[in-house]
């Protein structure tokens, strides 16, 4: 499909979009086409801003692969963790209005809030909820959020924090988490006197004219033009987790639940890049707070090699770094078969946004790099395929270094008659109960509050593991039993060392609490 180039009226009183130079337009269009074709994406929407003006908008593909409805600039995508910046902005608006302070204790708003360490509970401030400095391990407790749908509530998540043992010291190191953004959304609701979803509409969407964005519970049929998530299966893009009649106000909304169109995201970016577009929406003090380096982050070799990065830190819902000597503010989002990426170069009043409704991790990386380098290092002239090649070489090197799923002995289904006393109901203090019980002639593991986590117990060389139904082999886990009698425990351990960190099996410790029903 040919790109859609639009002249959009953005916010009341603002200028219309303008066309990029012929050379720039050709470069941007080629980059989007390369990403779309090379990574065989089902759909993509991309926008570029230069000096505060939208200079390029391009879309490709379909809302649902094979159904013929084309993606356009009004199509809704999951922005996933790019929601975090909006949650932070809601809190900043409340600080600006005098409804809370960044250094307020969390317990001022949520008296039942508890961390594992009572000292951390007392000293956790609102600001700490946003900057991944809690001492929790990477992705701790994420199994209460994903896979979706599940039966955990926001109250369950907040209560579960008290049982998650820290992996490090409070405020000592960076480790990305999602649960504390759920807490941040509830703090906002208490301070603002309205549910989180209402606050986002009131404080973000309405004043910035982000009319297509959706948060909370809503109807896809009523809204229309909603991209669906896809996964690669046998060389094809296959829909997975298609929306039902109603999208629920699920618990992780404040961490990654907003959906927006490309038009909306460009409005969001322009408001952030140029305070004059929406006078008074966010004052200089709060803008500075959002983009202050609050928590240092480790700098990976790729950033050093590609961008000459010297500093990397987390602000309030944003990653802050330098790229070719220029200030960069950015974030990515990954959720249920959709990928997003948003990057700003504030000193240039420029940036780009990418929305993808398929498996697009490498696609967003290579494409964003090409789009930004056009502005930070134009002499390099590298296109998407150049960066795609670098990523492929990285992966090949990791494989040669022994990363990836290890070789396993042939698998056989564990027979129920051979499973013995380990059959039964097991419980973890934050995740709840799972059953290891007979189904037919075999044994199935089922998580009571997370029904998507259901699978057959298999054995390889006498070692039991769970083969999930619908989650894919990347999520599979060994079952490790230890101890005797009342001290008998069950732990899960990822088979693939490169498993997504949201499968935080390492934080689980089950004890047997009863027989199979």
């Amino acid at each position: 499909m040919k790109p859609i180039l639009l002249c959009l009226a953005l916010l009341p009183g603002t200028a219309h979009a303008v066309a990029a130079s012929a050379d720039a337009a050709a470069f941007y269009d080629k980059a989007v086409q390369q990403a779309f074709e090379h990574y065989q994406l089902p759909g993509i929407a991309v926008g570029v801003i230069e000096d505060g003006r939208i200079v390029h908008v391009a879309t490709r593909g379909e809302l649902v692969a094979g159904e013929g409805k084309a993606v356009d600039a009004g199509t809704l995508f999951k922005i996933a963790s790019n929601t975090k910046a909006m949650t932070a902005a809601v809190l900043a608006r409340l600080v600006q209005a005098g409804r809370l302070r960044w250094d307020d204790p969390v317990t001022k708003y949520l008296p039942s809030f508890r961390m594992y360490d009572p000292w951390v509970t007392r000293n956790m401030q609102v600001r700490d909820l946003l900057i991944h400095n809690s001492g929790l391990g990477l992705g701790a407790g994420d199994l209460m959020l994903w896979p979706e749908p599940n039966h955990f509530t926001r109250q369950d998540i907040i209560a579960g924090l008290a049982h998650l043992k820290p992996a490090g010291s409070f405020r000592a190191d960076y480790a990305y988490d999602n649960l504390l953004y759920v807490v941040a959304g509830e703090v906002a609701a208490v301070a603002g006197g309205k549910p989180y979803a209402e606050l986002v509409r009131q404080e973000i969407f309405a004043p910035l004219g982000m009319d297509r964005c959706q948060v909370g519970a809503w109807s896809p049929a009523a809204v229309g033009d909603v991209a669906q998530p896809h996964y690669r299966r046998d060389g094809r893009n296959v829909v997975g987790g298609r929306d039902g009649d109603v999208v629920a106000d699920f618990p992780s909304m404040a961490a990654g639940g907003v959906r927006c169109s490309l038009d909306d995201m460009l409005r969001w970016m322009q408001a952030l890049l140029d305070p004059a577009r929406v006078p008074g929406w966010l004052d200089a003090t709060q803008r500075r707070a959002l983009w202050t380096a609050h928590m240092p982050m480790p700098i990976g070799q790729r950033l050093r090699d590609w961008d000459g990065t010297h500093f990397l830190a987390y602000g309030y819902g944003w990653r802050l770094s330098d790229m070719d000597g220029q200030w960069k503010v950015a974030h990515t989002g990954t959720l249920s078969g959709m990928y997003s990426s948003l990057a700003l170069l504030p000193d240039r009043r420029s940036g780009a946004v990418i929305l993808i409704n398929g498996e697009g991790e490498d696609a967003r990386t290579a494409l964003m790099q090409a789009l930004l380098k056009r502005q930070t290092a134009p002499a390099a002239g590298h296109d998407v395929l150049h960066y795609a090649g670098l990523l492929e070489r990285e992966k090949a090197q990791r494989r040669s270094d022994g990363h990836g799923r290890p070789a396993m002995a042939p698998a056989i289904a564990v027979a129920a008659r051979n499973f013995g006393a380990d059959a039964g109901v097991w419980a973890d203090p934050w995740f709840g109960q799972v059953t290891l019980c007979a189904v037919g002639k075999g044994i199935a593991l089922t998580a009571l509050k997370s029904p998507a986590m259901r699978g057959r117990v298999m054995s390889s060389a006498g070692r039991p593991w769970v083969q999930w139904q619908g989650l894919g082999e990347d999520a599979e886990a060994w079952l490790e039993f230890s101890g005797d009698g009342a001290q008998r425990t069950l732990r899960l351990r990822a088979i693939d060392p490169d498993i997504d960190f949201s499968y935080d099996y390492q934080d689980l410790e089950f004890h047997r609490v009863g027989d199979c029903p």
Side-chain angles (χ1 to χ4, degrees):
M1 296 181 183
K2 292 188 179 297
I4 299 173
L5 304 179
L6 303 174
C7 290
L8 303 172
L10 295 180
L11 298 173
T14 62
H16 289 184
V18 299
S21 68
D23 286 347
F27 178 88
Y28 293 140
D29 194 54
K30 177 183 176 183
V32 174
Q33 187 65 25
Q34 285 180 328
F36 180 67
E37 292 180 351
H38 183 76
Y39 291 103
Q40 301 178 56
L41 303 174
I44 186 171
V46 180
V48 181
I49 293 174
E50 293 180 0
D51 193 22
R53 303 172 302 170
I54 299 171
V55 297
H56 199 80
V57 174
T59 63
R60 302 285 195 281
E62 299 171 299
L63 279 65
V64 177
E67 293 192 5
K69 177 65 174 176
V71 169
D72 62 26
T75 298
L76 292 182
F77 288 81
K78 296 179 181 180
I79 67 168
S81 285
N82 272 297
T83 299
K84 289 179 169 66
M86 296 182 184
T87 298
V90 168
L91 288 168
R93 289 270 292 172
L94 294 173
V95 172
Q96 182 172 292
R99 305 295 293 271
L100 61 75
R101 294 170 55 93
W102 290 116
D103 58 1
D104 280 341
V106 174
T107 52
K108 177 178 178 179
Y109 303 95
L110 302 174
S112 64
F113 172 78
R114 297 287 185 275
M115 297 293 285
Y116 188 83
D117 185 326
W119 187 90
V120 176
T121 299
R122 293 192 301 272
N123 288 277
M124 180 78 74
Q125 298 175 355
V126 173
R127 62 185 297 275
D128 294 309
L129 300 174
L130 305 181
I131 57 178
H132 310 298
N133 69 349
S134 66
L136 292 174
L138 180 65
D142 273 4
L143 286 171
M144 289 188 283
L145 306 182
W146 299 291
E148 298 172 333
N150 63 42
H151 304 314
F152 288 97
T153 66
R154 291 181 175 92
Q155 290 70 35
D156 290 333
I157 291 166
I158 294 173
L161 283 164
H163 302 286
L164 287 167
K165 298 177 183 179
S169 298
F170 181 40
R171 295 180 181 153
D173 296 297
Y174 170 89
Y176 193 86
D177 78 77
N178 288 293
L179 298 194
L180 292 178
Y181 267 83
V182 176
V183 178
E186 293 305 282
V187 167
V190 173
K194 297 179 180 179
Y196 169 80
E198 289 187 29
L199 286 173
V200 176
R201 296 186 195 104
Q202 172 183 295
E203 305 295 336
I204 309 293
F205 299 165
L208 303 188
M210 298 166 66
D211 299 330
R212 289 277 296 153
C213 287
Q214 300 296 319
V215 65
W218 54 281
S219 165
V223 171
D225 278 356
V226 183
Q228 297 301 305
H230 293 74
Y231 303 90
R232 295 291 294 177
R233 295 290 184 270
D234 301 322
R236 299 183 302 115
N237 289 306
V238 178
V239 174
R242 190 166 187 160
D243 291 325
D245 294 336
V246 176
V247 173
D249 182 9
F250 53 89
S252 60
M253 189 65 62
V258 168
R259 296 202 212 185
C260 288
S261 69
L262 179 59
D263 287 351
D264 294 318
M265 296 304 287
L266 289 167
R267 288 179 171 90
W268 169 237
M269 293 165 66
Q270 287 193 307
L272 293 167
L273 289 168
D274 185 359
R277 285 188 173 271
V278 193
W281 172 67
L282 207 57
D283 63 29
T285 299
Q286 297 313 316
R287 286 176 177 272
R288 191 177 305 113
L290 294 178
W291 290 354
T292 292
H294 295 287
M295 187 66 207
M297 298 171 60
I299 303 173
Q301 192 60 47
R302 184 194 298 168
L303 281 178
R304 296 181 188 276
D305 293 344
W306 287 18
D307 297 343
T309 299
H310 296 87
F311 90 93
L312 177 64
Y314 209 88
Y316 292 158
W318 294 97
R319 297 185 185 108
L320 315 170
S321 65
D322 62 315
M323 179 179 188
D324 301 318
Q326 300 186 39
W327 184 24
K328 177 183 171 185
V329 177
H331 214 287
T332 55
T334 305
L335 181 63
S336 302
M338 286 199 182
Y339 286 75
S340 68
S341 183
L342 189 157
L344 304 172
L345 303 170
D347 290 339
R348 302 177 66 99
R349 296 200 308 158
S350 299
V353 61
I354 300 167
L355 305 171
I356 298 171
N357 64 335
E359 293 188 355
E361 182 173 9
D362 286 352
R364 74 179 175 193
T365 299
L367 177 55
M368 183 60 80
Q369 194 70 11
L371 297 177
L372 294 184
K373 285 287 187 178
R374 173 76 187 185
Q375 301 190 47
T376 65
H382 294 316
D383 63 8
V384 168
L385 299 183
H386 170 81
Y387 295 108
L390 295 180
L391 291 173
E392 287 155 13
R393 284 194 285 276
E394 276 186 21
K395 289 184 176 181
Q397 184 62 51
R398 285 183 62 81
R399 287 192 296 270
S400 69
D401 291 342
H403 288 271
R405 185 182 175 92
M408 296 170 61
I412 60 172
V414 173
R417 66 179 182 275
N418 297 331
F419 202 63
D422 285 329
V425 181
W426 297 74
D428 173 84
W430 62 268
F431 186 70
Q433 294 185 351
V434 301
T435 61
L436 280 167
C437 295
V439 175
K441 295 182 179 180
I443 290 285
L445 185 151
T446 303
L448 269 64
K449 284 195 171 183
S450 186
M453 294 187 67
R454 176 182 175 85
R456 294 190 304 166
V457 176
M458 309 294 288
S459 176
S460 293
R463 188 177 182 184
W465 56 281
V466 59
Q467 183 181 60
W468 302 114
Q469 296 176 8
L471 296 185
E473 71 173 19
D474 292 346
E476 291 169 348
W478 300 111
L479 300 178
E480 298 183 342
F481 297 93
S482 62
D484 296 304
Q487 302 304 312
R488 186 73 164 163
T489 62
L490 164 64
R491 292 182 177 273
L492 277 66
R493 186 181 303 278
I495 295 175
D496 187 339
D498 294 327
I499 192 171
D500 187 296
F501 66 75
S502 286
Y503 291 106
D504 58 316
Y505 299 139
Q506 69 279 357
D507 295 313
L508 297 168
E509 183 177 319
F510 294 99
H511 293 267
R512 194 176 184 280
V513 295
D515 297 329
C516 290

